[in-house]
Every structure is written in C-alpha cells, then in structure tokens.
Amino acid sequence: MTTDPRTEPAAPASGALDALSGLISHTTTQGVRTLYAPRTGEITAGLFFRVGRADETLATAGLTHLVEHLALHRLGLTDLHYNGRTANAYTLFHVTGDEDEVVAYLNAVCAGLRELPLERLETEKEILRTEAAGRGTGPLAQLPLWRYGAQGYGLCSYNELGTWSLTADQVRHWAATRFTRENAVLWLTGDRVPDGLDLTLPTGEHLAPPPVTSALPVTAAYIPGDDGHVAFSAVVRRSTAATVFADVLGRALFRDLRQDGGYSYSAEADYSPRDTTHATITAYADALPQKQDAVVGGFVDTLARLRAGRIEQAELDSARTRLLKQYDTPDLGAAALPSYALSLLMGHELLTPEQHRAELAAVTLTDLREVAREAWETALLQVPGRGVDWAGLTLAPQYSAQAVTGTGHPSLEDDRVTLVIGEDGVTLQTPGGPVTVRYDACAAMTVRPDGARALTGTDGFSVTVEPTLYKDVTAERVSAIDAAVPRDAVVPMPARTPDQIPRPRPAVSRSGPTRPQDLWLLGLPAALWSCLVLVVTVRQGSAGPDDWTEFAGMWVTELVLVAGTVHLYRARLLGRG
C-alpha cells in the first residue's frame, strides 16, 4: 500500500474568479466563499464542504454522512425541495425554493452544524444502516476497493462501519474541524446574495483532497466479477481531451457491442474528476451468460482500437459537438455554478467558457490516442468467467505476499485451512495461498461479544476469526489479538443470537473420510442383490405375464444400493465425506 506524496495545488485565487466576470459574480458571506449568477424562477443554492467518505477510515466510515443527516434534522417535514449528499471528497447541501425558503434552509443547516442534535445520534445511525441495507450495489462498486484498498477512495466500496460505534465526541469534533467556513463554498442562483443569511461556522482551514493510495502492484490489471457484467476503470490526468475521450469510448462501446455485435444492451462510459489533478474514467457493458466471452473480447478490442489511434475524425467531431452544447444552455452562468463551485473547492483550474471552447476545438486524434494509452496503463478490468491474461492484463493479487508466524489453529471444516495468530498479525493459510492482515495495517476490526473478530487490512484483505470454526481459539488467543490491534481501528458490534453464530459443517479432508471398506460394505451387497433381481426377473419373464408388483420393491432396493455405491465412489475420488 502506497500513498501519493505530492502536494496538491492551492485553491484558485480571486483573480481566477475575476476572469469569470460577466458570467458569475463572487463574494464572501460570513467568511464563506460565495458564487452567484442570475436565473429566472426559483432560487437554487448549494453549500459545498471539502470533506467526504475518502477522508474517513474504515472504522469511522459513515462519519461525514452522519453529520449531514444530523444537520438536516431540524428542517423536519416540509414541502421544500432540499437534500444532502456525501460523496468521496465533498459534502453538498442543496435546496430550491423562494428567497425566504432558501435563506431559512441555509441558516438551519449552518445552525445544525454548529450545534448538532446529538440526542438523535443512535436514531440517525440506525437510519443510515437501514438506508445502506436498501441500497443496491452497482457493477462498478468493487473497483475502488481493488484499486485503492480499504482506505481513502476505496472506502466507497464498504459499508459504513462507523454507524455501529461512533461516539458523540467523534461526531462533534468532525463537524467542528471539517465543516468550517474556510472549507466551504456557497453557490446560488440570483443576481445578489439574499439578505438574512447566517452562515456562521467554526473557523478552520481548507483541506487538500484526500491522499491517493494504491492496492494494485501492477496495472493494467483485472479482477474476477459476477456473471453478466464487464466493468472498467482508469485514472487519467484531468483534461479536456480526457472528457472527449470518455464520450468517444462510450459511443464506441455502444456501437461495437450493441449495434454491430448484438452482445450487449447497455454499453457506456463516464468521466468523473477525482481530485485536483486526476480523474476517473469508468465504462460498463452488460452480457447474457452465453455472450460473456464475446463481450469481454469486444470490450478489449474497442480499447485496443482506440489506443492504436484507429479513431475516425467523425467520432471526435461528434463528441466535440455534444460537449459544446452545454454552452447553448439558457442562463449559462447559473447552470455552470455547481461545476465552478466544486472546482473552486477542490482547487482546480477555472476555465471561462471561451477557454473551454478553445480547448475543445484544439483536441486532436493524437490527443485521444494518448489518453487511451494512459487509460490502458492504469486500467482495472472486471470480467466474468475466464481471465484476460491474453490481453496483457495481470490478475490483481488474490492472496497476500507474506504470512505471519504464530500459533496454528486448524479449521474444523477443512483440514487444508489453518488460522495462524501471531505477534504481528493473523494469516489464513488456504490451498491457494495466505491471506494476511497485519495489526499495524489494520483498517478495522469488528468485535463480537462471543469472541468473533473480523480484521480488514488497508490493502483490502480480510481475515475472520470465528472461535467456533477453528481448533483451540481460546479467549486468551482472542485477547492477544485485541491487545495488538490499534484502539482506533476497533468497531464493537452487537451480540449475535445463538443461531447466528456459525457452527462447523462436515469436515473436508485431503484424503476424505470415505474408507475403502466403506465401498465394499455397500458395493458388494449391491452387486449380489443385482444378480438376484436379474435371475428372478428372467425366470418370471419366461414363465409368462403375471403380477409384477412384487418385483417393484426389489428393483427400488437395487437402485438405492447402486446410488449409494456411486456416491461413496465419487466422494472417494473427490476426497470429500
């Protein structure tokens, strides 16, 4: 696991905002940077904060989301159209209404952040767990985990573990240090900042984007995925050419996989800024089980065609035309406010519409080819079925590079598996390889009163210690784990009912518990009985038609004996009882 050590550029100075004069206006409101632009109709406003899921740890995941929920509680039931959103690197509170409603909403949000209703902490934590349980995971959900690990930008692949254990002090401190005036940007539609706004917030500092980590030793890489889905992600430098490339890629996949090949129904791509300097390009295609190999092959072929520079000028022109249409929007300044506010918050360069048009006009086929090559160099492809080593991608690590030494605890279900509890960490020795979580790189450890421990490393590997499933995992051994894991990584979990505690299934053995004499004890009677049934059947047949009912039971018995013998024979071959 590595961390990108670069220093992010500072937020744009007011001079960059001055260049947007005539399109948007800017000021400060109680120390909060504020952008506004006129638009007819109701006012829409958004209050950005530079804090999100990627700023948390796995043990505190959900902390920012929890602050968002608590800050909105005092608004209660209303017809006002408002909401909040917690993303990887920012939190947004937004609202649409008349001037008085917008002012009341923003004032209530800031008042809520100053004095969170922490008496509702447990209720809101349960609400977040309920929300997560009903929220489906899309086909791209696992890619951040594999790319970044169980930290930073990889946390969006995980459940919000912090909703089980976060304390009032933790939540209060997070709000006071992250939801500050220096770390915020307000935008709103209108020709002025409304009177009566009270954006009083704690003082603090502007936070740089979260550090970038990596769990992939090599790219381009691939991981196995569920049937029916091919997913792709790449990290590229933020640029106008990259936005054009994402559009070209999406259209190319749609044409190659759906229109020409008839393999997919959905095929698309997207460009999303990640931080100040880099963006993520994602792509997706669905597939029927019998078409999966064709979709994978077509997906790889499309990427290969683009990075080889086999892109038609018409493809570039079409993408450029679609992107230029954003400047045909009525009230362009108001429509661009969220984008400019987020760029200001993240410290990214602010381009005027004229500058952006000029950059779009300057994009060439050579630029697209270079972006395609950069995307392939950082590619992570999720494929169903067989691997894609043939395409030059490397399978992402499925096992840890090292194992710890310590006491061995054989599995009670599979004697090929051993849990090792050591001074430095825990390792699950499996037939495929070791899975290790070191204590000094433990992102989170959930703790159950019955002794169960689930450890997840910052690299994304996990080991679950279930005392009921391994030999001699005593309370003393569990206590040794507890003493070694950092306190801030521990997540207490509620007690489980007896039926929720796992019990060993029939053991799997290398040699199998099926002994040779077991086959003889059943196989010999089956053979003798078959001879008897055959002789009786032949005699009855030669004696002429008669009532065959009495022989039905003999044949049923024979079938049962034969089936039992075959089962034992197959179990013997497989080494399973």
Side-chain angles (χ1 to χ4, degrees):
M1 180 66 61
T2 58
T3 300
D4 188 341
R6 71 178 186 275
T7 300
E8 298 290 355
S14 61
L17 290 171
D18 291 338
L20 298 172
S21 178
L23 181 70
I24 65 171
S25 302
H26 67 94
T27 185
T28 58
T29 308
Q30 281 103 43
V32 176
R33 291 169 290 176
T34 304
L35 308 182
Y36 59 97
R39 189 187 70 181
T40 57
E42 291 186 308
I43 296 175
T44 296
L47 182 59
F48 276 118
F49 291 93
R50 221 307 293 143
V51 60
R53 290 209 61 180
D55 295 284
E56 303 163 353
T57 67
L58 182 57
T60 63
L63 180 50
T64 309
H65 197 182
L66 189 55
V67 171
E68 175 216 311
H69 268 232
L70 288 167
L72 290 174
H73 170 67
R74 68 177 59 215
L75 288 156
L77 293 175
T78 176
D79 293 331
L80 187 64
H81 179 68
Y82 73 91
N83 209 337
R85 181 191 176 196
T86 301
N88 272 339
Y90 67 84
T91 301
L92 170 64
F93 298 94
H94 60 90
V95 61
T96 296
D98 62 32
E99 182 173 310
D100 291 340
E101 290 171 330
V102 169
V103 168
Y105 170 82
L106 293 172
N107 290 356
V109 167
C110 292
L113 290 170
R114 292 194 302 269
E115 194 67 38
L116 293 173
L118 292 172
E119 68 278 1
R120 286 190 54 83
L121 181 60
E122 295 306 316
T123 300
E124 292 297 339
K125 285 159 67 173
E126 187 169 359
I127 289 173
L128 290 187
R129 294 195 295 269
T130 303
E131 179 183 337
R135 184 171 52 234
T137 57
L140 301 171
Q142 294 302 303
L143 293 176
L145 181 164
W146 286 87
R147 181 177 293 279
Y148 300 110
Q151 58 181 326
Y153 292 99
L155 292 179
C156 61
S157 295
Y158 289 87
N159 289 329
E160 295 174 332
L161 269 184
T163 57
W164 291 102
S165 60
L166 287 168
T167 66
D169 286 342
Q170 286 176 296
V171 175
R172 185 184 296 108
H173 181 264
W174 194 255
T177 55
R178 269 70 176 181
F179 291 84
T180 66
R181 63 176 72 110
E182 291 82 3
N183 205 37
V185 173
L186 170 68
W187 60 268
L188 53 88
T189 61
D191 56 6
R192 62 183 179 82
V193 177
D195 295 331
L197 277 179
D198 182 5
L199 306 185
T200 304
L201 290 167
T203 188
E205 60 181 2
H206 178 264
L207 302 179
V212 179
T213 58
S214 176
L216 291 174
V218 176
T219 56
Y222 75 92
I223 57 174
D226 295 334
D227 286 348
H229 306 286
V230 178
F232 166 89
S233 77
V235 176
V236 298
R237 287 165 295 176
R238 288 181 66 163
S239 68
T240 300
T243 63
V244 176
F245 171 77
D247 188 283
V248 169
L249 174 61
R251 305 281 290 189
L253 289 171
F254 186 85
R255 183 179 60 252
D256 295 348
L257 299 180
R258 176 171 174 171
Q259 292 182 321
D260 295 345
Y263 308 135
S264 297
Y265 176 76
S266 296
E268 56 198 23
D270 181 63
Y271 171 96
S272 177
R274 186 191 67 186
D275 51 33
T276 307
T277 57
H278 286 76
T280 301
I281 292 177
T282 55
Y284 166 78
D286 57 8
L288 291 173
Q290 63 269 28
K291 298 285 189 179
Q292 288 182 164
D293 288 345
V295 172
V296 172
F299 206 109
V300 171
D301 287 346
T302 299
L303 289 168
R305 173 173 73 82
L306 298 182
R307 71 177 186 274
R310 295 197 299 273
I311 307 172
E312 299 293 334
Q313 183 66 41
E315 295 179 90
L316 168 56
D317 293 340
S318 179
R320 182 160 34 217
T321 299
R322 283 189 295 274
L323 290 171
L324 282 170
K325 285 183 178 178
Q326 64 185 297
Y327 296 110
D328 297 332
T329 304
D331 300 323
L332 176 59
L337 278 172
S339 176
Y340 280 127
L342 187 56
S343 292
L344 181 63
L345 184 78
M346 300 298 293
H348 186 57
E349 181 183 12
L350 303 180
L351 295 178
T352 66
E354 291 73 21
Q355 289 173 320
H356 193 211
R357 284 193 187 98
E359 288 199 356
L360 280 171
V363 174
T364 65
L365 294 176
T366 300
D367 295 330
L368 296 187
R369 183 185 63 196
E370 291 306 312
V371 176
R373 290 178 177 177
E374 184 181 8
W376 182 256
E377 290 173 358
T378 63
L380 178 60
L381 189 64
Q382 178 179 295
V383 297
R386 295 178 298 176
V388 284
D389 304 83
W390 54 267
L393 291 97
T394 302
L395 179 64
Q398 306 294 299
Y399 299 96
S400 302
Q402 296 179 331
V404 301
T405 58
T407 59
H409 305 272
S411 168
L412 300 176
E413 297 181 311
D414 187 342
D415 67 4
R416 298 168 298 176
V417 175
T418 299
L419 172 68
V420 179
I421 301 176
E423 293 183 359
D424 299 321
V426 293
T427 292
L428 194 64
Q429 293 284 10
T430 75
V435 178
T436 298
V437 177
R438 293 182 57 87
Y439 300 135
D440 59 5
C442 182
M445 179 179 74
T446 60
V447 173
R448 297 281 187 180
D450 55 57
R453 303 290 185 265
L455 297 87
T456 300
T458 53
D459 58 6
F461 285 114
S462 297
V463 175
T464 299
V465 179
E466 288 281 4
T468 56
L469 299 184
Y470 297 94
K471 185 178 180 181
D472 296 331
V473 178
T474 62
E476 290 73 20
R477 301 307 302 141
V478 173
S479 295
I481 297 174
D482 292 346
V485 173
R487 289 292 88 198
D488 58 5
V490 176
V491 181
M493 301 291 283
R496 296 183 289 188
T497 60
D499 61 303
Q500 292 176 320
I501 299 174
R503 301 298 174 188
R505 296 168 295 181
V508 175
S509 170
R510 292 184 184 88
S511 60
T514 305
R515 304 166 299 170
Q517 55 266 39
D518 294 332
L519 287 173
W520 283 105
L521 289 173
L522 188 60
L524 184 58
L528 294 175
W529 187 260
S530 65
C531 293
L532 175 62
V533 172
L534 182 61
V535 170
V536 172
T537 302
V538 170
R539 287 182 177 178
Q540 177 64 21
S542 62
D546 200 346
D547 182 10
W548 290 81
T549 304
E550 59 183 305
F551 297 101
M554 298 178 67
W555 278 104
V556 170
T557 303
E558 172 62 10
L559 291 175
V560 171
L561 290 171
V562 170
T565 302
V566 170
H567 173 74
L568 285 178
Y569 179 73
R570 292 180 64 187
R572 178 68 180 163
L573 289 179
L574 295 173
R576 298 177 181 273

